[in-house]
């Protein structure tokens, strides 16, 4: 399940933060310069978590300060 958490920045340089949940146990949030990119980044984080890489992974998609995070509940 994807959820738009926030939308920041001026109209010409928006940064979207999306959270994705898999069941009750796994969730990840990521940012991107579009909703699609943010959703894709969050999905990549969940895939990394499910494949055994539980580390926080930073994904930069043209953001000046990437602040992508993943957490397991």
């Amino acid at each position: 399940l994807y959820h738009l958490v926030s939308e920041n920045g001026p109209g010409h340089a928006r940064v979207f933060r999306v959270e994705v949940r898999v069941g009750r146990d796994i969730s990840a949030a990521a940012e991107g310069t579009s909703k699609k990119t943010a959703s894709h980044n969050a999905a990549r984080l969940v895939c990394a978590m499910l494949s055994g890489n539980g580390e926080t992974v930073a994904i930069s998609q043209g953001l000046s300060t990437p602040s992508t995070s993943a957490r397991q509940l």
Side-chain angles (χ1 to χ4, degrees), residues 20 22 26 28 40-53:
V20 62
V22 179
I26 299 174
H40 182 80
N41 290 344
R44 286 179 59 189
L45 289 171
V46 167
C47 287
M49 291 170 70
L50 292 173
S51 69
N53 181 2

Side-chain angles (χ1 to χ4, degrees), residues 23-46:
R24 292 183 178 186
D25 297 331
I26 299 174
S27 71
E31 293 180 342
T33 54
S34 69
K35 291 177 189 176
K36 182 178 178 178
T37 300
S39 297
H40 182 80
N41 290 344
R44 286 179 59 189
L45 289 171
V46 167

